[in-house]
Amino acid sequence: QVQLVESGGGLVQAGGSLRLSCAASGRIFSTWHMGWFRQAPGKEREGVAALMSSGDRTYYADSVKGRFTISGDYATNTVYLQMNSLTAEDTAVYYCAASKGGNLFDRRVYRSWGQGTQVTVSS
């Protein structure tokens, strides 16, 4: 297993940007596929972005495509989620997770989860 710690959440105005970080306790390159999920109050946890362990493929939910970017720094075992053009609908707790494979937008394929970081977008 790998331990994950998210940071970077906060309060931002609509149209603004935030960058979330996810620090992993071990090597992620070529080892773990990484995903970002979010959960808004009263809603199910949903996948928003995923990064293959090879570092060369990324995937996005339609709701964030063109606004969010997932990336990895393999020297520091850190995964980022750059979020631009934020709207109130992006308000949620954001979670980082690690998977060995499968449908990376299915939370069931993830083995490790961070504690989450709150993102609140004011309109």
Side-chain angles (χ1 to χ4, degrees):
Q1 297 282 37
V2 61
Q3 309 301 316
L4 304 172
V5 178
E6 302 98 333
S7 61
L11 174 65
V12 63
Q13 288 188 334
S17 299
L18 278 177
R19 188 177 78 157
L20 305 183
S21 300
C22 171
S25 62
R27 174 188 174 94
I28 55 174
F29 182 69
S30 295
T31 304
W32 294 95
H33 307 303
M34 302 299 294
W36 283 97
F37 284 71
R38 67 186 181 187
Q39 188 166 18
K43 294 188 177 181
E44 292 191 359
R45 193 171 298 188
E46 62 171 353
V48 296
L51 174 66
M52 297 293 285
S53 63
S54 57
D56 61 351
R57 293 188 183 180
T58 57
Y59 304 94
Y60 299 94
D62 288 343
S63 59
V64 306
K65 202 170 292 183
R67 300 188 299 121
F68 289 13
T69 303
I70 186 171
S71 62
D73 181 343
Y74 296 110
T76 61
N77 294 311
T78 303
V79 177
Y80 299 100
L81 185 67
Q82 177 67 43
M83 306 186 294
N84 300 327
S85 302
L86 287 162
T87 72
E89 287 67 41
D90 296 315
T91 295
V93 177
Y94 282 72
Y95 298 90
C96 175
S99 170
K100 287 292 187 179
N103 178 358
L104 296 181
F105 285 89
D106 184 345
R107 60 181 294 184
R108 294 171 295 179
V109 308
Y110 287 85
R111 298 188 185 181
S112 297
W113 292 85
Q115 81 289 351
T117 186
Q118 176 70 48
V119 171
T120 303
V121 184
S122 63
S123 57

